[in-house]
Amino acid sequence: MHRRGVGAGAIAKKKLAEAKYKERGTVLAEDQLTQMSKQLDMFKANLEEFASKHKQEIRKNPEFRVQFQDMCATIGVDPLASGKGFWSEMLGVGDFYYELGVQIIEVCLALRHRNGAGLITLEELHQQVLRGRGRFAQDVSRDDLIRAIKKLKALGTGFGIIPVGGTYLIQSVPAELNMDHTVVLQLAEKNGYVTVSEIQASLKWETERARQVLEHLLKEGLAWLDLQAAGEAHYWLPALFTDLYSQEITAEEAREALP
Amino acid sequence: MAIPLSQIVFIEEQSAGIGKSAKIVVHLHPAPPSKEPGPFQNSKNSYIKLSFKEHGQIEFYRRLSEEMTQRRWENMPVSQSLQTSRGSQPGRVRAVGIVGIERKLEEKRKETDKNISEAFEDLSKLMIKAKEMVELSKSIANKIKEKQGDITEDETIRFKSYLLSMGIANPVTRETYGSGTQYHMQLAKQLAGILQAPLEERGGIMSLTEVYCLVNRARGMELLSPEDLVNACKMLEVLKLPLRLRVFDSGVMVIELQSHKEEEMVASALETVSEKGSLTSEEFAKLVGMSVLLAKERLLLAEKMGHLCRDDSVEGLRFYPNLFMTQS
């Protein structure tokens, strides 16, 4: 009987085969890199064609941008990773979002003195960014803002996106907010404030846990303590006072509005 | 609010006096029975008064008189409807103008829809090709893994730049940061040039957010992505450039001049705090003329080095000189 694959000879043969395969492996990788290079050139040409026909669509249509981003994400491509990427260079998506990033940073910086801790609603951010961009600038959607902010996280700045109610709170200053803090913020979104009783009732927490979370929010300047409220102490979240901010007008506008 | 000129019978001026402004009185025909519903159904007056608080009455009177003389509305082929409500009413004929405009809008809508669906079709086709690129890059990455380091540096550089162009995360290292390419090296050198002066102006240190805004505002076009900036900054030290990237414990990232010694700045920070007894980050920032973010980092570093103590209360975070160290 002839048994295959056993014995010193067979092992040596196997090793030789492996080594040859590895060699071929080198060649294969080289080939594939060359192939990739060629395909890249072709893709670039395709993208150029697409851009010549539809570049405007990306710039003008927020819905289209969403579709575009989602498709990219599905196939595993990040069109915003680099300004040097094809997507950026040819479609101009990069500049749109990177500039938006700058505007978001500037708005958050400007507003920080107001709410003290760098926490604002997506709505307010949206309004302020639009105002800053002026009447003739391209339209910017909330989805655009979220994507730009996600990119800004790379700068290590403490930009955070916290879902509350049907919207988001945007954090622009590194403040340590863990799950507990986030959950309480979400609870407060309904009325703009929260109480210890509410936390106990909704979240079934012990008093001490609730108290600690609220103290932390006070310390970070995210919450204001109202001891004069009926019943028990109210903890207000100025970041949720969007209504107040949206009515702000300049002195000039006020003068013009008067009869 | 608008009243057709055809309703006007007669106009007269009333000059201004003490305590009252100049006025133009416009006498009107009685309202026709087909009058559209408005703020009031009827009025006991048959005139309106236009009041001119500052000026303009002379010009207005002149123009209105002209119109009254010309009576252009009697020559128009159809009466223009000023109401926003549509639908035919007895005695009113739709103006050609409005229908024309509506038709144009409709056409434009259809055109836009067509453009969008075409764009989506083309986009889908493009994405299929892009997916092929992703698959190919995965296959190459697998080959590289199998070879376990037998890949040449040249090949690595090529591969990384291809990934950068397509926006594909490096499948080998799984990191999208630190994937330095030629591009990032060039960028690092550029940054060293651009940032020297601004850093000196700001006491030798800037947060990465500030740098991002500064650089992109200066560029205007072909902006850097946040990741581009981070990847380039990671190469600063390797390339022996006069700046470096520093990451604080909190995760805050800054660019410092090589000559900047944050630890030495801590000594002066201690002096400042001692002078004032105690300081919060905001107070310190204001005194020294720094951003609150960087002020906080400096105070935290001072605390880490044992020079300051913290007092953490609901009133905020306050720093005191660490007397445990100095007074034994």
Side-chain angles (χ1 to χ4, degrees):
Chain A
M1 246 187 318
H2 187 75
R3 276 187 298 167
R4 273 183 152 211
V6 186
I11 295 174
K13 224 189 251 180
K14 209 171 174 196
K15 279 211 166 138
L16 186 60
E18 262 176 19
K20 278 204 172 149
Y21 178 73
K22 270 213 169 128
E23 233 181 66
R24 278 186 69 223
T26 319
V27 174
L28 273 178
E30 179 61 45
D31 273 352
Q32 282 199 302
L33 275 180
T34 314
Q35 184 194 355
M36 186 166 188
S37 171
K38 288 205 188 119
Q39 275 193 245
L40 216 58
D41 286 340
M42 280 205 312
F43 183 80
K44 195 173 174 190
N46 286 326
L47 188 54
E48 260 170 340
E49 204 192 313
F50 180 84
S52 67
K53 291 204 288 186
H54 304 298
K55 189 169 177 175
Q56 287 305 315
E57 220 53 63
I58 298 246
R59 280 175 19 104
K60 292 191 307 188
N61 192 336
E63 286 258 343
F64 192 74
R65 280 199 291 277
V66 173
Q67 285 290 346
F68 169 74
Q69 295 274 20
D70 284 348
M71 282 191 191
C72 285
T74 309
I75 63 172
V77 158
D78 182 3
L80 300 181
S82 172
K84 201 80 173 95
F86 287 160
W87 309 97
S88 220
E89 287 186 331
M90 270 170 257
L91 288 182
V93 255
D95 279 8
F96 176 82
Y97 284 98
Y98 307 147
E99 186 179 7
L100 193 53
V102 173
Q103 290 164 347
I104 291 170
I105 292 171
E106 290 176 344
V107 163
C108 288
L109 206 61
L111 291 179
R112 208 167 288 169
H113 73 276
R114 218 198 274 172
N115 49 44
L119 198 71
I120 73 179
T121 59
L122 184 59
E123 278 70 39
E124 191 184 350
L125 180 63
H126 193 201
Q127 260 183 31
Q128 299 286 359
V129 166
L130 285 177
R131 191 181 287 172
R133 285 168 74 92
R135 236 177 304 151
F136 303 107
Q138 290 159 258
D139 195 19
V140 155
S141 71
R142 287 177 195 172
D143 183 85
D144 292 330
L145 290 175
I146 296 278
R147 288 187 203 271
I149 293 169
K150 283 189 179 157
K151 281 290 143 197
L152 288 178
K153 287 189 183 204
L155 298 176
T157 39
F159 266 100
I161 303 173
I162 303 168
V164 290
T167 176
Y168 298 93
L169 280 176
I170 307 299
Q171 184 189 352
S172 62
V173 168
E176 289 142 39
L177 293 180
N178 59 29
M179 277 299 297
D180 275 6
H181 303 128
T182 311
V183 154
V184 168
L185 285 175
Q186 290 167 338
L187 196 58
E189 194 264 343
K190 233 186 324 144
N191 299 318
Y193 69 86
V194 77
T195 62
V196 174
S197 317
E198 250 187 88
I199 294 176
Q200 286 174 319
S202 305
L203 304 174
K204 310 279 186 280
W205 288 358
E206 288 149 16
T207 317
E208 184 57 28
R209 186 176 174 188
R211 212 183 50 78
Q212 278 196 6
V213 167
L214 291 172
E215 253 191 45
H216 182 84
L217 292 178
L218 280 178
K219 221 177 359 157
E220 292 288 343
L222 293 171
W224 292 349
L225 178 59
D226 177 12
L227 292 170
Q228 293 176 336
E232 61 180 306
H234 284 22
Y235 293 79
W236 293 88
L237 288 165
L240 298 171
F241 296 170
T242 323
D243 286 331
L244 294 176
Y245 295 144
S246 65
Q247 297 195 11
E248 181 177 332
I249 55 177
T250 64
E252 204 169 297
E253 287 169 307
R255 250 179 278 130
E256 284 170 4
L258 289 170
Chain B
M1 191 153 81
I3 297 177
L5 292 174
S6 49
Q7 288 286 102
I8 300 178
V9 178
F10 163 63
I11 56 177
E12 60 178 336
E13 286 182 298
Q14 276 183 5
S15 37
I18 301 176
K20 61 181 181 128
S21 50
K23 291 189 178 46
I24 291 180
V25 185
V26 182
H27 295 266
L28 302 168
H29 283 297
S34 60
K35 181 178 104 71
E36 295 284 84
F40 291 100
Q41 270 307 103
N42 48 44
S43 166
K44 60 176 160 61
N45 295 315
S46 61
Y47 61 85
I48 60 170
K49 282 192 184 179
L50 303 173
S51 170
F52 295 82
K53 280 210 183 327
E54 294 200 4
H55 51 73
Q57 72 274 18
I58 300 172
E59 187 63 27
F60 192 89
Y61 186 83
R62 189 176 68 76
R63 288 187 188 228
L64 191 51
S65 309
E66 253 180 56
E67 291 297 327
M68 294 306 297
T69 317
Q70 290 180 19
R71 305 184 82 82
R72 283 190 286 169
W73 58 86
E74 288 176 352
N75 299 332
M76 301 210 122
V78 288
S79 59
Q80 298 258 329
S81 164
L82 293 167
Q83 322 298 345
T84 51
S85 64
R86 291 197 238 149
S88 52
Q89 275 150 7
R92 285 189 202 276
V93 178
R94 269 287 192 70
V96 171
I98 290 183
V99 167
I101 291 172
E102 283 179 346
R103 197 177 292 145
K104 275 213 190 106
L105 282 174
E106 186 60 38
E107 274 176 21
K108 192 164 178 206
R109 261 193 293 270
K110 287 209 185 110
E111 182 72 33
T112 312
D113 284 344
K114 191 164 77 80
N115 281 343
I116 293 192
S117 37
E118 200 192 312
F120 275 125
E121 253 188 66
D122 289 346
L123 184 64
S124 305
K125 289 189 201 145
L126 192 70
M127 287 298 164
I128 293 175
K129 301 208 171 76
K131 186 148 174 62
E132 286 170 15
M133 301 297 305
V134 176
E135 296 305 312
L136 185 54
S137 73
K138 281 191 193 150
S139 156
I140 294 178
N142 283 334
K143 283 274 177 302
I144 294 176
K145 248 187 273 185
E146 277 170 25
K147 291 190 347 166
Q148 289 162 358
D150 277 0
I151 183 171
T152 68
E153 199 175 312
D154 212 43
E155 287 173 339
T156 312
I157 292 178
R158 273 173 73 192
F159 188 47
K160 277 186 179 173
S161 76
Y162 296 162
L163 294 177
L164 189 73
S165 300
M166 282 301 300
I168 301 171
N170 191 332
V172 180
T173 58
R174 278 267 153 258
E175 56 176 12
T176 39
Y177 309 160
S179 47
T181 66
Q182 297 282 24
Y183 169 61
H184 293 119
M185 288 203 277
Q186 280 175 359
L187 201 47
K189 293 181 191 154
Q190 277 179 32
L191 287 173
I194 300 169
L195 296 174
Q196 185 77 24
L199 277 169
E200 282 167 9
E201 280 169 35
R202 288 164 178 73
I205 185 169
M206 281 171 76
S207 73
L208 214 55
T209 336
E210 287 177 87
V211 173
Y212 177 77
C213 290
L214 190 99
V215 170
N216 275 340
R217 279 272 176 240
R219 287 178 85 124
M221 299 185 20
E222 289 178 21
L223 307 180
L224 302 183
S225 76
E227 281 162 72
D228 285 336
L229 183 59
V230 173
N231 286 338
C233 290
K234 288 188 172 176
M235 311 210 79
L236 287 171
E237 203 135 16
V238 163
L239 293 173
K240 304 226 187 329
L241 292 164
L243 328 170
R244 61 164 170 257
L245 175 68
R246 181 172 181 163
V247 184
F248 287 116
D249 294 340
S250 59
V252 169
M253 296 167 100
V254 300
I255 299 293
E256 296 180 315
L257 286 172
Q258 282 285 2
S259 56
H260 179 88
K261 303 274 184 292
E262 186 67 9
E263 280 73 9
E264 282 169 15
M265 304 307 287
V266 161
S268 85
L270 173 59
E271 264 185 55
T272 314
V273 174
S274 304
E275 266 173 49
K276 299 288 174 180
S278 74
L279 288 174
T280 64
S281 311
E282 289 80 14
E283 290 163 357
F284 180 63
K286 213 165 174 184
L287 267 176
V288 177
M290 282 177 87
S291 74
V292 177
L293 188 80
L294 294 179
K296 188 170 182 189
E297 290 302 325
R298 187 165 293 174
L299 294 175
L300 287 173
L301 184 62
E303 182 193 31
K304 192 173 172 186
M305 290 167 67
H307 298 301
L308 296 178
C309 274
R310 69 167 57 194
D311 175 22
D312 211 352
S313 69
V314 287
E315 288 167 21
L317 182 58
R318 187 165 278 279
F319 290 92
Y320 290 78
N322 185 359
L323 299 177
F324 292 108
M325 289 273 280
T326 54
Q327 299 178 4
S328 44

